[in-house]
């Protein structure tokens, strides 16, 4: 029976049934915006107002009462509560739905939408409302140097040391709702396989770019698949039977 710590990588697909768009699916975020304009330091330099407005719109969407944790988020929070070893969610998502579902061990490797960072004093700040190019840092008082606490393309993802420590000691690696397009997250499964100890499982709507690297793959909506998988894990079922 499987025992030991679990690492769960999540991507935009886990929040899709909560009403948040993914990036690369039909009609996704990158079909409406050029990522070079809104998700790179160069884009921010060129047009900070466009970038602030892009994240303000996504931050406001989180305030929409229709945007709530879905059964996949809730099942992962339950797994953390009921599993006899640590369960770590490593999310590429910048929404707060894992936390709102009750997950406590969550690492946001691409940052968090409801946080800002002051480029003058470096402080990371809770920022639930709109941010503008004139926003004042409540910590140091400087104006106009607060940016979204989001990791843009070309920037270094957050918490990588803790993530690799967890990957190197996990007994199970799950990947949920990610296309496997963006590194280093897309490389986590290969890293776990190199170690050759933990089973690796992909739960997604369709095969990701890294699908062939997983010991087991299950396809369908996360809101249906994840609760079923968590139930089977907690029952001690053989993973292959899920
Ligand atoms: N249930 C499960 N999987 C789903 C669902 C769903 N309801 N809906 C979509 N998916 C899957 C898609 O099949 C796709 O494989 O989720 C994946 C979403 O892929 P992307 O849109 O590429 O999102 P993600 O993998 O999280 O992107 C990674 O890229 O743009 C950057 O910083 C951004 O964190 C993001 C990173």
């Amino acid at each position: 029976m499987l025992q030991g710590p679990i690492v769960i990588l999540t991507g935009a697909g886990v929040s899709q049934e909560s009403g948040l768009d993914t990036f690369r699916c039909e009609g996704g975020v990158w079909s409406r915006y050029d990522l070079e304009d809104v998700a790179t330091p160069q884009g921010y330099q060129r047009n900070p107002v466009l970038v602030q407005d892009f994240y303000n719109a996504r931050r406001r969407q989180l305030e929409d009462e229709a945007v709530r944790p879905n059964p996949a988020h809730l099942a992962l929070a339950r797994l953390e509560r009921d599993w006899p070893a640590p369960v770590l969610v490593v999310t590429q998502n910048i929404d707060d739905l894992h936390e709102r579902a009750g997950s406590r061990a969550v690492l946001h490797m691409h940052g968090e939408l409801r946080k800002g960072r002051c480029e003058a004093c470096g402080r990371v700040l809770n920022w639930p409302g709109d941010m503008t190019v004139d926003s004042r840092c409540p910590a140091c008082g400087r104006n106009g140097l607060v940016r979204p606490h989001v990791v843009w393309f070309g920037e270094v993802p957050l918490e990588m040391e803790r993530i690799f420590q967890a990957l190197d000691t996990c007994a199970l690696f799950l990947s949920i709702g990610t296309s496997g397009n963006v590194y280093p997250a897309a490389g986590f499964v290969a890293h776990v396989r190199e170690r050759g100890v933990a089973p690796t499982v992909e739960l997604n709507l369709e095969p990701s770019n890294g699908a062939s690297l997983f010991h087991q793959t299950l396809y369908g909506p996360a809101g249906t698949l994840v609760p079923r998988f968590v139930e089977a894990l907690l029952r001690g079922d053989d993973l292959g039977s899920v």
Side-chain angles (χ1 to χ4, degrees):
M1 176 178 160
L2 195 110
Q3 290 176 330
I6 300 176
V7 173
I8 303 163
L9 172 68
T10 64
V14 83
S15 298
Q16 188 270 330
E17 290 158 85
S18 296
L20 297 182
D21 287 336
T22 63
F23 292 94
R24 297 172 180 84
C25 300
E26 180 88 17
V29 175
W30 298 146
S31 70
R32 303 196 305 274
Y33 291 88
D34 180 341
L35 69 84
E36 294 294 336
D37 291 339
V38 294
T40 63
Q42 296 77 7
Y44 187 58
Q45 287 302 321
R46 273 198 309 275
N47 188 342
V49 172
L50 173 72
V51 176
Q52 293 287 14
D53 288 349
F54 171 71
Y55 288 99
N56 287 339
R58 294 177 68 199
R59 200 175 295 113
R60 272 186 236 124
Q61 198 184 14
L62 282 187
E63 299 304 314
D64 181 337
E65 63 180 26
V67 175
R68 297 188 289 275
N70 68 57
H73 296 107
L74 295 167
L76 295 181
R78 177 191 170 205
L79 182 63
E80 178 185 356
R81 278 195 306 276
D82 298 348
W83 188 252
V87 173
L88 176 66
V89 172
V90 176
T91 187
Q92 300 172 89
N93 301 341
I94 58 176
D95 65 59
D96 59 351
L97 294 174
H98 283 302
E99 290 86 346
R100 285 165 56 188
S103 287
R104 289 168 304 162
V106 180
L107 294 181
H108 285 270
M109 63 182 290
H110 291 166
E112 297 176 69
L113 198 46
R114 293 166 60 88
K115 288 189 177 166
R117 186 168 76 242
C118 176
E119 299 203 282
C121 69
R123 296 284 286 276
V124 174
L125 310 147
N126 286 322
W127 208 281
D130 279 3
M131 188 185 289
T132 72
V133 292
D134 304 317
S135 288
R136 181 176 174 279
C137 172
C140 72
R142 294 283 299 273
N143 285 339
L145 289 170
V146 180
R147 61 164 274 183
H149 183 52
V150 171
V151 177
W152 289 327
F153 287 93
E155 295 185 323
V156 179
L158 307 173
E159 303 280 8
M160 292 311 292
E161 194 174 328
R162 284 177 67 188
I163 292 170
F164 277 102
Q165 277 167 1
L167 291 173
D168 288 341
T169 52
C170 71
L172 172 63
F173 176 70
L174 293 185
S175 176
I176 303 174
T178 181
S179 63
N181 266 293
V182 175
Y183 285 79
F188 290 169
V189 57
H191 183 84
V192 174
R193 294 234 36 188
E194 269 162 35
R195 217 179 102 231
V197 171
T200 56
V201 185
E202 171 170 83
L203 308 178
N204 209 49
L205 200 58
E206 65 207 352
S208 73
N209 285 359
S212 62
L213 293 171
F214 289 89
H215 292 100
Q216 188 179 353
T217 55
L218 293 165
Y219 297 118
T224 309
L225 221 48
V226 176
R228 203 173 81 206
F229 191 82
V230 166
E231 194 68 49
L233 262 181
L234 292 172
R235 267 200 314 266
D237 292 3
D238 172 64
L239 293 190
S241 67
V242 180

